[in-house]
């Protein structure tokens, strides 16, 4: 009778050890890492100029309207979001024409496509040459109260 009791005690102990080992081991699979966005536009860019496209003229210097406009920085993040910094007034002015505040971006067929929070998208031709980025904006009413003109926004990588 004592051997039966000892056997069941040993069996119980062995069972508890096996269960504790089984539950202690977990699946070490990491969440899949999203592919890195290697697009060269992923960076922080500072606005350096707002120029009229060939054949157009700016009715007034944008710096006269928003003094800090050339301090504006846009960061195109690898997760396809855009962050703005250093000139809220410029963000408000530009956001009326180009959705940058809370926007998502993608590059497709030589175009920079920006989608606002409501998922409305606008497409812009852009050129990227080393640390210089130029975005062509057609029919932009950049200056409130003035006629829409074609402009080029020029950025420098910071």
């Amino acid at each position: 009778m004592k051997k039966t009791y000892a056997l069941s005690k040993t069996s119980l102990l062995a069972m508890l050890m096996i269960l504790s080992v089984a539950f202690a081991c977990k699946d070490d699979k990491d969440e899949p890492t999203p592919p890195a966005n290697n697009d060269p536009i992923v960076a922080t860019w500072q606005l350096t100029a707002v120029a009229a496209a060939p054949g157009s003229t700016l009715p007034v210097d944008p710096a006269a309207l928003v003094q800090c406009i050339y301090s504006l920085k846009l960061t195109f993040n690898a997760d396809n979001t855009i962050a703005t910094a250093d000139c809220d007034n410029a963000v408000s002015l530009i956001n009326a024409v180009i959705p940058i505040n809370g926007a998502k971006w993608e590059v497709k067929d030589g175009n920079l496509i920006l989608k606002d929070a409501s998922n409305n998208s606008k497409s812009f031709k852009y050129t990227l040459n080393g640390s210089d980025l130029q975005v062509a904006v057609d029919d932009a009413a950049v200056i409130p109260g003035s006629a829409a003109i074609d402009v080029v926004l020029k950025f420098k990588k910071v």
Side-chain angles (χ1 to χ4, degrees):
M1 180 123 158
K2 282 194 168 204
K3 286 188 176 192
T4 308
Y5 178 72
L7 182 60
S8 66
K9 209 179 200 186
T10 305
S11 298
L12 183 59
L13 183 59
M15 179 83 89
L16 286 174
M17 288 181 67
I18 290 170
L19 286 174
S20 66
V21 169
F23 284 113
C25 297
K26 68 172 193 154
D27 188 7
D28 288 336
K29 288 184 184 176
D30 292 332
E31 291 295 319
T33 306
N37 190 335
N38 295 326
D39 195 298
I41 202 169
V42 174
T44 299
W45 302 88
Q46 183 168 350
L47 184 65
T48 57
V50 177
S56 301
T57 56
L58 289 176
V60 66
D61 180 9
L65 295 173
V66 179
Q67 292 179 344
C68 66
I69 195 163
Y70 298 122
S71 299
L72 174 65
K73 291 181 185 73
L74 298 181
T75 301
F76 291 87
N77 297 306
D79 66 356
N80 294 85
T81 59
I82 299 174
T84 59
D86 296 341
C87 188
D88 291 338
N89 290 339
V91 172
S92 297
L93 179 69
I94 293 172
N95 201 60
V97 180
I98 303 170
I100 56 173
N101 196 13
K104 299 266 188 181
W105 67 273
E106 72 175 303
V107 171
K108 187 175 182 181
D109 299 328
N111 291 305
L112 174 62
I113 301 167
L114 302 177
K115 293 182 182 178
D116 64 15
S118 300
N119 217 22
N120 299 316
S121 66
K122 288 190 177 182
S123 181
F124 306 94
K125 287 281 186 199
Y126 80 100
T127 55
L128 182 59
N129 187 7
S131 63
D132 295 320
L133 170 67
Q134 293 188 10
V135 179
V137 183
D138 296 335
D139 296 326
V142 175
I143 313 302
S146 70
I149 59 170
D150 297 345
V151 297
V152 177
L153 301 176
K154 297 179 181 183
F155 296 89
K156 188 70 124 177
K157 188 184 279 188
V158 291

